[in-house]
Amino acid sequence: MSGNELREAYLQFFAEKKGHLRLPSFSLIPQDDPTLLLIGAGMAPLKPFFTGKMKPPRTRVTTSQRCVRTGDIENVGRTARHQTYFEMLGNFSFGDYFKGEAIPWAWEFLTEVVELPKEKLWVTVYPDDTEAIEIWKSQPGFPRDHIVKLNDNFWEIGPGPCGPDSEIYIDLGEERGCGSPTCAVGCDCDRYLEIWNLVFTQYDRQEDGSYENLAHKNIDTGCGLERLASVLQKKQTNFETDLLYPIIEYAEKVSGLSYGKDEKSDVSLKVIADHARSMAIMIMDGILPSNEGRGYVLRRILRRAIRHGRMLGIKGKFLEGAVDAVVGIYRGARDFEELVNKADYIKKVISLEEDRFAATLNQGMELLDHEIEAVRKAGGKKLPGKVVFRLYDTFGFPWELTKEIAHENEMEIDSKGFESAMEEQRTRARNARVKNERVAVPDLSKIDVSALTIDEKATEAKVVAIWKDGVLVDTITDGEEAGIILSTTPFYAEGGGQVGDAGTFVSAFGHIRVSNAKKLPDGTVYHISYVEEGQLSVGETVKIEVDQVKKLASARNHTATHLLQAALKKVVGAQIHQAGSSVTPERLRFDFTNFEPVTEQQLADVESLVNEEILKGQDVVIEHMTLNEAKKAGAMALFAEKYGDVVRVVKVPGFSMELCAGSHVRNVGEIGMFKIISETGIASGVRRIEALTGKAALDYANARMMLLAQAAAQLRTNEEGVPSAIEKLRAEKKEADAKLAEVEALREKADAQQLLTAMQEIAGVHVVTGKANVEGMDALRDVADLLLTKMEGGIIVLACANGEKANLVVKASKDAVAKGIHAGRIVKEAAAVVSGGGGGRPDMAQAGGKNPAAIPQALEKAVQAIQAQLA
């Protein structure tokens, strides 16, 4: 089986034969989980369903989850199995089936679907898990002596759900082993390969360390796609499977090296293959290189791949071609359509990052080599932290890369010194991982949310749950902020870039302001609320009022965002893809992929096109259809969004059609007016447009008209005459500047002539020192040049006061330099007198200082320095 066929076989087996809901892979970017930087396990996106905080869409689910882990990145390429990116096949039960089904189904898939030899399969179990042991023994054809009891077979992470697990291994043969007579399951060699782990979550560990039985037992399994593919394809390592080897073949081609000939180059070939695949899929999922959070993980992987390319002798850019190899691997596979569609965008992002790193790589490596040699000569074994930080800050070297290179040179890095220098950056990265959520959601497993409804016309509802600081409470009072769930709600919950509705709840004893509404993964809407007066208790009935002014303003901006995206595609090009958005009552923000700024003319055309569509006054059509029907109709969708079988399609006939669950106007004419206020770059290959609609756009336009009127009044003309009046002023200024420059040139000549009268001779060398009546270093250098041309060789030392600063210049002719003069050393001594510093070449140097009052003393010091050099 190919890797793609294996994935499909697994998912079809559990979906079609075992009644599981097949879900697409979740994005690598965790949703509403501040504890994770990236998804690193198949169960990670399903965690709320395992803990019981959320109700799953079905009690049986199967996925092939994209995962990234970088904890063992140094081992990538050095072992058969370590990868940064991998896929985890999984089947999950949320209080449905248990061991009696999970074990037989795993056995059936491995022995009947992919036809692994039964006699080669082994399992490990927790010693006390007699239930699992007996189930394994009852499997048809299972070798009863192939059960190994290990105390490590128990999965738990502190208090909470936990339980025994059972791992499935395959014996790859003696030739893959270490040769030890004690070699068996659990040995570190490659003979016994773990291919599947079944976790039986049946206990709830208490704070005191005791275990209680869970009322609803769960199944969490993980089967590594690449590992199983290596077994089925009879490959020595994961890298030789069809899920990675095509990238190695590409790296062979561009490097001119052959895989399997040299262990060191093999490591680099495998690193490039793994990292190219990781970076392509991370960018596909919306991650971009940066110095913070998951963007830093991507940058680290990308730059590590570039370095390994250099180690193979690849001089130029090469990772774009690796992306083509990655796309070729996944072409035609479900869940990877976006990889194919975004291939050009992914390559452009990577190309820009290669350009950035290439510009500093050689310089950084020279510095690192120099510092390593200096440490070695000094008899040390540790690279200073400030060097590690400089490589990171100036040359873009991830510290892990510096650590790896140091390790290759049998050295360590001063981690403590680096951490100290990096404190500010680390704080930002840490903050990037924490979701800015004011109301932490508690465990809602004991709340019956099945009967909750959403009704846009609702005006009353019962309070179902209240919590504050992550804990359920019965009552909240004056000044307290909390999360509130109602039996029914008319509030639109935040999603798709649009903020949730705001409004008020009024009860018999309290008045509550709602600042936002949000939705949990199971669809439950909760309201971020603040008690302005009185109190509110669970069970009370509240009167509901949604702020319709803000709701309509948000709707205007959301519909306008759809029109904006369609207009950008028409004017700028089909390469435009949404990379994010924010819709609030005040304004809209639209982020999109494009590798150059949108021109002023293009922005004007986009704005005009949107306003033309608004003036048509068409009704906005909202329909519900299947996802496949929507895609066939050409509806645009955000890849990061998860859509059900039936989707909501928002259409402006003949102009825009998108999948969207947000608020929209009934007729585009309600938008009133659309005005773009800015276009900027926010990341590599990502641009941002901010715009206004309705009254906000009108207020913005009126404010600009008022400014124009004020400018016209100042220029003593009307609004139409402002451009010509400005042009006239510019011409007059240009003429005045030219005349002023002539005067300055004459003054400089006069200054030079006056300074020449004070020329002295030191050891046969003409020397001119003095204070020039000019401002700034440029003018000071001009006077020095002028003086030197009027002298037949010599030394010029000039100073000037520039506000609260002092400027110094020293120039020396060739014959003066030949006699031992060094302008850089002279200016350094003189600058110290004016509380400054500087330096330069033997023939020219300059400096600045903070004490212009000491210029006379500085000039005296310069003369002393000249005398010393000529002595």
Side-chain angles (χ1 to χ4, degrees), residues 531-753:
V531 183
E532 293 185 323
E533 183 181 353
Q535 66 178 41
L536 181 69
S537 299
V538 174
E540 284 190 71
T541 297
V542 294
K543 291 183 179 179
I544 305 167
E545 185 173 333
V546 176
D547 188 327
Q548 294 297 334
V549 173
K550 286 187 175 181
K551 187 180 184 75
L552 181 56
S554 291
R556 287 192 189 98
N557 285 332
H558 205 150
T559 306
T561 303
H562 286 211
L563 298 178
L564 170 60
Q565 180 170 203
L568 280 167
K569 283 184 173 288
K570 292 177 190 296
V571 174
V572 181
Q575 78 277 7
I576 295 294
H577 291 287
Q578 184 171 345
S581 68
S582 173
V583 175
T584 69
E586 292 74 31
R587 65 177 57 197
L588 67 92
R589 189 190 74 213
F590 184 71
D591 300 341
F592 57 97
T593 57
N594 205 47
F595 295 99
E596 55 189 10
V598 181
T599 67
E600 289 292 332
Q601 185 58 53
Q602 286 175 323
L603 286 173
D605 291 344
V606 166
E607 186 178 283
S608 177
L609 198 55
V610 171
N611 280 307
E612 285 174 15
E613 199 61 34
I614 291 169
L615 289 172
K616 290 179 182 177
Q618 291 196 93
D619 285 341
V620 176
V621 179
I622 298 178
E623 299 175 329
H624 291 82
M625 61 184 74
T626 67
L627 182 59
N628 286 336
E629 288 173 340
K631 287 182 176 179
K632 287 179 182 176
M636 286 189 288
L638 279 179
F639 184 71
E641 294 290 329
K642 296 300 169 190
Y643 301 103
D645 293 334
V646 177
V647 295
R648 183 173 182 256
V649 178
V650 177
K651 183 164 51 174
V652 178
F655 195 79
S656 168
M657 180 163 55
E658 295 187 34
L659 306 188
C660 183
S663 300
H664 291 276
V665 295
R666 291 166 296 182
N667 184 290
V668 291
E670 295 178 39
I671 298 172
M673 178 181 179
F674 174 80
K675 183 66 185 172
I676 294 173
I677 58 172
S678 70
E679 192 274 349
T680 56
I682 60 167
S684 176
V686 180
R687 309 294 301 177
R688 170 173 291 173
I689 283 178
E690 294 190 68
L692 305 172
T693 63
K695 188 175 184 299
L698 184 62
D699 290 345
Y700 178 86
N702 285 337
R704 290 300 181 274
M705 287 298 295
M706 187 174 293
L707 286 174
L708 179 61
Q710 290 172 354
Q714 292 287 330
L715 293 168
R716 304 187 181 214
T717 184
N718 54 27
E719 284 89 339
E720 290 79 8
V722 167
S724 57
I726 291 174
E727 191 57 42
K728 181 182 177 182
L729 279 178
R730 290 178 65 184
E732 290 173 353
K733 182 179 182 299
K734 186 177 180 181
E735 184 179 349
D737 286 345
K739 289 180 179 177
L740 185 60
E742 290 177 12
V743 172
E744 287 293 325
L746 290 171
R747 195 178 77 174
E748 286 176 5
K749 288 179 181 178
D751 280 348
Q753 196 63 43

Side-chain angles (χ1 to χ4, degrees), residues 291-293 389 392 399 415-416 418-433:
N291 282 336
E292 297 178 346
F389 178 75
Y392 168 84
W399 69 266
S415 299
K416 189 174 181 181
F418 172 74
E419 290 291 344
S420 176
M422 271 285 290
E423 185 175 353
E424 185 178 345
Q425 286 91 329
R426 287 194 306 109
T427 300
R428 286 204 308 269
R430 185 166 57 250
N431 290 341
R433 296 176 59 173

